[in-house]
Amino acid sequence: MPDPSAVYSALATQQIETPSWGYGNSGTRFKVFAQEGVPRDPWEKLADAAKVHEFTGVAPTVALHIPWDKVDDYAKLASFAREHGIGLGTINANTFQEDAYRLGSVCHPEAAVRRKAVDHLLECVDIMDATGSKDLKLWFADGTNYPGQDDLRERQDRLAEGLAEVYERLGDDQRLLLEYKLFEPAFYSTDVPDWGTAYAHCLKLGDKAQVVVDTGHHAPGTNIEFIVATLLREGKLGAFDFNSRFYADDDLMAGAADPFQLFRIMYEVVRGGGFTSDIAFMLDQCHNIEAKIPAIIRSVMNVQEATAKALLVDREALALAQRSGDVLDANAVLMDAYNTDVRPLLAAVRTGMGLDPDPVGAYRRSGWQEHLAASRVGGTQAGWGA
Ligand code: PSV
Ligand code: MN
């Protein structure tokens, strides 16, 4: 059986990074529903992220997206975060929202557009130097819509060239995290569509390049935990973007659609030693119809629950059953852990950390949401893309 004190301290020291864009208004291409009290600038997004950390105790950093979170003084932003009890985490680059990028960014057929895109990525590394952020997360919307539109091989060459220039610019303690996505916004071909492509580029780049697994970026039925196990085995799993999906990249609350899948993923993380390694556990999600701060608190709790269950797997009993070919017992060991109600354990962990055992309830009772609605009046609310 797993050592209860080790499980307890692993849960108390877990760190989950929240996304600045999750605090802004968001929606679908049909409608963005504005909500009261939504932040108007990066500073207010950080204040919201600090609230999530205050109530959960395990969300000490917030990821920034550039240019959505562009400010004049990043060192000042970092000290503002510190004053609020959090830190700045991953810097996410954005080469997908300008007219110039219609045919792609780092894979664009024209050298001038590729230059513009790579310059933006280099600017993101400058920002990392100012904020003290360790990770640069790259997701490219690059791809084509029609067969024959561009040369698939050449696009890979352009990608490799752009990535190499950025990799060279990284400091000793900085990493390049490459994220893949099956499709969208390109529909015929995507330049980094899967973990294999991301892995191949990262392998060529070197040790400071690793792959990001965004749980929403796979075809239905994909065995994501197998990808996690494989990348961990190869030392190439750099980070997670957690979210939930029913159909495509729905960006719903992590653990909401398929908590069993999240458990299986976290089990492979635990099994592969990833829980104590350098993997960045991030959320990448938006809250279109629900209140944002409590939804992010809920998502953090969902990741904690999946982690707790994964830590509770009796690995000795599992290995024994697996080696003796006892299919039923092996499956039962895993299911026993999954079916454990870990809420009392997590409540005890929170109480031990001086927190309310019920973070969503405590946030609601604090009246903070009403305070935000009353105080954040006027100005332009932040949204996905601003
Ligand atoms: C792309 O779908 C993605 O998952 C990337 O991580 C982006 O940075 C993020 O979503 C934007 O919300
Ligand atoms: Mn993502």
Side-chain angles (χ1 to χ4, degrees):
M1 283 302 286
D3 170 15
S5 68
V7 172
Y8 184 99
S9 64
L11 292 170
T13 53
Q14 185 170 25
Q15 300 198 341
I16 299 160
E17 184 160 303
T18 73
S20 69
W21 54 101
Y23 299 99
N25 281 326
S26 58
T28 64
R29 62 198 172 91
F30 299 103
K31 172 72 182 161
V32 172
F33 297 103
Q35 294 186 20
E36 286 187 318
V38 161
R40 280 109 12 120
D41 54 40
W43 313 87
E44 291 182 349
K45 291 183 203 172
L46 293 194
D48 287 4
K51 273 285 151 189
V52 172
H53 183 47
E54 183 185 322
F55 284 92
T56 61
V58 295
T61 55
V62 58
L64 301 183
H65 219 296
I66 307 296
W68 301 342
D69 296 316
K70 217 168 182 152
V71 292
D72 290 336
D73 186 342
Y74 288 98
K76 198 167 153 198
L77 194 68
S79 57
F80 178 85
R82 270 195 303 277
E83 283 157 23
H84 283 72
I86 56 170
L88 301 181
T90 309
I91 300 297
N92 288 258
N94 183 327
T95 55
F96 50 85
Q97 284 184 306
E98 289 190 45
D99 285 338
Y101 299 134
R102 188 169 56 93
L103 301 179
S105 63
V106 288
C107 304
H108 196 285
E110 280 174 41
V113 179
R114 297 202 296 277
R115 185 70 258 153
K116 174 182 163 66
V118 172
D119 282 347
H120 169 70
L121 306 184
L122 296 173
E123 179 200 351
C124 286
V125 185
D126 291 342
I127 293 171
M128 290 162 68
D129 290 341
T131 57
S133 299
K134 191 171 160 263
D135 294 329
L136 173 68
K137 179 143 73 67
L138 304 180
W139 170 71
F140 297 110
D142 292 48
T144 67
N145 271 4
Y146 296 100
Q149 180 187 317
D150 199 0
D151 187 300
L152 299 183
R153 273 185 75 119
E154 250 183 57
R155 290 182 74 91
Q156 289 299 310
D157 296 340
R158 298 170 201 153
L159 173 63
E161 200 179 301
L163 290 176
E165 190 177 338
V166 178
Y167 188 85
E168 283 309 309
R169 165 69 184 81
L170 294 176
D172 289 344
D173 295 331
Q174 294 174 334
R175 296 190 297 182
L176 181 160
L177 303 177
L178 184 57
E179 180 173 355
Y180 59 91
K181 181 175 181 177
L182 176 65
F183 83 114
E184 196 199 26
F187 295 120
Y188 164 63
S189 72
T190 295
D191 293 308
V192 190
D194 50 30
W195 73 269
T197 308
Y199 173 75
H201 281 283
C202 288
L203 198 61
K204 205 166 253 175
L205 287 167
D207 290 346
K208 291 185 287 181
Q210 289 182 305
V211 179
V212 181
V213 174
D214 182 313
T215 48
H217 288 186
H218 306 84
T222 300
N223 184 332
I224 300 175
E225 58 270 29
F226 175 80
I227 297 171
V228 168
T230 304
L231 287 173
L232 256 173
R233 231 182 131 251
E234 301 300 329
K236 281 292 184 195
L237 181 61
F240 282 101
D241 266 4
F242 288 124
N243 51 51
S244 271
R245 65 191 281 281
F246 287 104
Y247 294 100
D249 186 25
D250 305 340
D251 283 336
L252 300 174
M253 291 189 292
D258 191 347
F260 184 42
Q261 179 188 62
L262 189 54
F263 158 75
R264 299 193 311 262
I265 289 171
M266 288 312 296
Y267 173 67
E268 285 307 328
V269 170
V270 171
R271 165 72 182 84
F275 195 65
T276 47
S277 75
D278 253 0
I279 296 173
F281 297 95
M282 300 180 277
L283 303 177
D284 175 13
Q285 47 188 48
C286 299
H287 305 284
N288 301 350
I289 57 170
E290 65 276 27
K292 293 148 203 312
I293 296 176
I296 295 180
I297 293 176
R298 168 63 62 202
S299 307
V300 167
M301 293 170 68
N302 288 348
V303 175
Q304 286 184 294
E305 285 179 21
T307 307
K309 291 175 183 209
L311 289 165
L312 286 176
V313 171
D314 186 339
R315 287 173 53 190
E316 271 171 37
L318 183 60
L320 210 65
Q322 288 172 342
R323 279 190 216 115
S324 60
D326 193 332
V327 177
L328 279 181
D329 254 14
N331 180 244
V333 171
L334 209 69
M335 294 313 292
D336 277 348
Y338 177 66
N339 287 319
T340 307
D341 183 359
V342 293
R343 290 172 299 180
L345 169 62
L346 283 163
V349 170
R350 289 182 193 118
T351 306
M353 293 166 78
L355 300 169
D356 192 296
D358 167 18
V360 172
Y363 174 74
R364 288 214 173 112
R365 287 188 297 276
S366 74
W368 192 252
Q369 194 71 42
E370 293 73 18
H371 163 74
L372 290 180
S375 59
R376 288 181 182 165
V377 178
T380 308
Q381 293 187 321
W384 192 90

